[in-house]
Amino acid sequence: MADHDSILKLLTERFPGKVSALELTPAQTAVSVEAASIVELFTFLVESADLKMNYLSTITGIDRTDHIEIVYFVSSLEHKHMLTIKTKVDRIGGKIESIQHIIPAANWFEREVWELYGVDFVNHPDLRRFLLPDDWDQGNPMLRDWDGRDFIRMPEVQ
Amino acid sequence: MGIISKLPVYMENVPGGTIVTTSLEKVLNESRASSLWYLLFGTACCAIEMMCAGASRYDFDRFGMFFRASPRQADLMFVAGTISHKMAPRVKLLYEQMAEPRYVIAMGGCACSGGPFYYDSYAVLKGVDKIIPVDVFLPGCPPRPESLMEACIKVQQKVKKEKLQDWSSDRRG
Amino acid sequence: MNEATPSQYSEEFEVNMGPQHPSTHGVLRLMLRMNGENIVRATPYIGYLHRAIEKICENRTYAQCIPLLDRFEYVTSMASEEVFVLATERLAAVEVPERAEYLRVIMLEFNRIASHLIFLGTFSLDLGAITPFLYCLREREQIMDLFEMTSGQRLTYNYIRVGGVAYDIPEDFLPLARKFVDTFQHRIDDYEAILTQNPIFLARTKNVGIISKDIAVNYAASGPVLRASGVKWDLRRDDPYSIYDRFKFDIPTGTVGDTWDRYMVRVQEMRQSNEIVRQALDQLPQGDYKTKMKAVFKPPVGECYARIENARGEMGCHIISDGSTKPYRVKLRGGSFCHTQLIPAIAPGMMIADLVATFASLDVILPEVDR
């Protein structure tokens, strides 16, 4: 069972320059990775005997106003450790490789991020309308500056 | 005497039994009101309370109400839960599939007006009365099974007051 | 199981199931490609209950989010409150009083029992047995009474708050809860007497809808579905939160991963939850039930993913705070989301009636999928 430091060390040494350790508050094991190496990283995470991280909790998109951050939470049922993986893509026309062929559970998570944030997942087999109505024409609603039908911003509480 | 005591009747004893004279309208309305079969259709939280109302403690069956899985066999529809814009055409379709006369109870805040999703949800229909006619609005998030029963009693009262000549097919849009 | 091979006498056709089909437990729509009675391909369509809860949470303060979270997973509302509150408390490093933790565990486990009772009721209803439904809902009403006397609500409680719980339990809660815990273990025997060895039930569930260990893990199944496939993984033990490390309980697992195993795992879990409640009631300390919080709550900048073991598996909440009164982003993860995704993987080759049984045994509720 690998602990916090050894996971980070293993990953940064295996992918020098591509993966770097992240300090988050509150403390958690986290790395940031270049969008181009996401498939490489996940292949390693699943296949490495020390990590065996094949349980994908979720994929989140976050609109940071200048870029979109995609966060993967992946854990190992055998070693009982968890890893947060962060990557950045462009806000408009952002592209990232799909990891659906490595972990099938990513399929729907990626579809959701594609629909709500407009991030294109390359090689995803099934990017169709997902949560929104079939005739939806108002863009990607989870973007921070999205302003569409029926959405009233609440006043800020001081 | 049960149901007979509620009707305007003229009774005449004859050898071997009784002849009852009453109005057809009253008999039909009374029997319709006592056997409102509802469509088993719930979308969100209210559906759980609807299930509770049909189960052990609250026991809808004693109103003569029993769930039907097909809209073609149902008289009454509980719109139990949030209706999203994606779901709205389906609800309309379900309503149209029901045989006339048909009744609708908008159960819960979401079905009445959008409820907690009124101000800032882009996906929720703000009140089911925008797509289908509603007979009884039942607020609550979710309403208790007792209030659902009261709503049903209101529908029963409405049914009992209906006139026979009002039963034309396009009466309720 | 029959192989889905095209026969020379039949041609394939499409069947649309839902979104108002009674056995889809809500508003799931399945497009089934059929060959006779065998499914060739199943495609789920979701989003019929998409209410944009994640978007609304960005627009509300932390306290205002909790009622919305109740509607995210309404069968176990306590759990969906807990996961949000847990993430917020980790962000802001809020200390929770001991008594509040115990009250939370009691409510969470009661809610797990209530949820499994709904499962058992609707599952047997889908298989054509009405009696267990009436039995299960009878016991569930007693739990609802306990919740109602504590929080004032039957379904959407808004009870677990940041820094504790909203109210202390009333005086007559403890005797009623004890009475329930004592009688409930015999009630489970009653349900099992009707179902577990019933030949019709066995014929409908044994070796139906098998989910292998690999498929379960790859598709991120969790909770009873994962455990029925033989993976001993329970977040209460493997990633402890709250005070679950103080209680003794077993983690029931299945062997084959069929519908019957999933039923059995849930029944065993009800027994275990009952025992946890009994221990928590015995250990319940006196003291405060909430910490004093500032009127305007602003957690520091940071982000946190909290996950708990819900009745439907791993429920996660990822909160990002930018230091203001509103969360910058709330991501909700429900077990049902992944379990719905399992259907296209396991449905091919199945009979349509078996799909109904299998889907009921996954215990999917749709608001957790659509959010």
Side-chain angles (χ1 to χ4, degrees), chain C residues 64-176:
Chain C
Q64 287 170 341
C65 285
I66 299 175
L68 279 174
L69 267 291
D70 281 334
R71 279 118 190 125
F72 158 55
E73 217 281 38
Y74 48 72
V75 185
T76 55
S77 303
M78 290 288 183
S80 49
E81 289 165 19
E82 164 79 5
V83 70
F84 180 82
V85 168
L86 200 66
T88 317
E89 281 169 354
R90 282 183 191 167
L91 264 178
V94 179
E95 281 288 314
V96 185
E98 186 111 322
R99 186 176 171 84
E101 291 279 25
Y102 274 95
L103 290 179
R104 281 183 191 181
V105 167
I106 292 171
M107 296 303 169
L108 284 170
E109 292 307 315
F110 267 143
N111 215 328
R112 188 187 314 274
I113 296 175
S115 164
H116 283 342
L117 285 174
I118 287 263
F119 155 76
L120 203 55
T122 51
F123 177 59
S124 48
L125 209 56
D126 281 348
L127 296 179
I130 296 179
T131 320
F133 173 72
L134 298 171
Y135 277 15
C136 291
L137 273 267
R138 180 187 65 193
E139 264 72 69
R140 189 176 172 276
E141 286 297 335
Q142 294 174 3
I143 301 181
M144 292 300 110
D145 282 350
L146 292 171
F147 286 157
E148 197 182 357
M149 69 164 65
T150 318
S151 69
Q153 259 285 20
R154 282 167 53 87
L155 209 59
T156 47
Y157 313 106
N158 196 9
Y159 179 65
I160 297 175
R161 307 272 178 91
V162 178
V165 293
Y167 316 99
D168 206 347
I169 43 173
E171 241 171 54
D172 43 355
F173 181 92
L174 285 178
L176 276 175

Side-chain angles (χ1 to χ4, degrees), chain B residues 49 56-57 84 86 120 144, chain C residues 46 48 134 145 148 154:
Chain B
E49 289 297 63
S56 319
R57 183 181 289 180
S84 66
K86 196 170 182 174
D120 41 8
R144 298 177 56 86
Chain C
I46 65 167
Y48 290 96
L134 298 171
D145 282 350
E148 197 182 357
R154 282 167 53 87

Side-chain angles (χ1 to χ4, degrees), chain C residues 276-335:
Chain C
I276 296 177
V277 174
R278 192 198 300 279
Q279 292 171 41
L281 288 173
D282 288 343
Q283 297 171 19
L284 182 68
Q286 293 297 321
D288 282 342
Y289 60 94
K290 62 178 173 187
T291 37
K292 191 106 176 97
M293 302 292 289
K294 281 188 189 150
V296 179
F297 175 66
K298 286 186 184 175
V301 180
E303 59 179 273
C304 180
Y305 180 76
R307 51 180 183 171
I308 66 168
E309 185 70 33
N310 176 27
R312 285 173 185 73
E314 175 181 335
M315 180 183 256
C317 182
H318 184 220
I319 301 185
I320 296 171
S321 158
D322 59 350
S324 71
T325 52
K326 299 172 182 174
Y328 186 83
R329 169 86 166 100
V330 177
K331 161 79 186 177
L332 300 167
R333 187 256 197 230

Side-chain angles (χ1 to χ4, degrees), chain A residues 20-55:
Chain A
S20 52
L22 268 184
E23 294 274 322
L24 296 179
T25 45
Q28 49 199 289
T29 316
V31 293
S32 78
V33 58
E34 277 177 27
S37 341
I38 193 81
V39 172
E40 222 181 319
L41 176 66
F42 266 96
T43 317
F44 177 68
L45 286 177
V46 171
E47 283 170 6
S48 155
D50 294 335
L51 296 174
K52 283 201 178 164
M53 290 191 172
N54 57 352
Y55 187 84

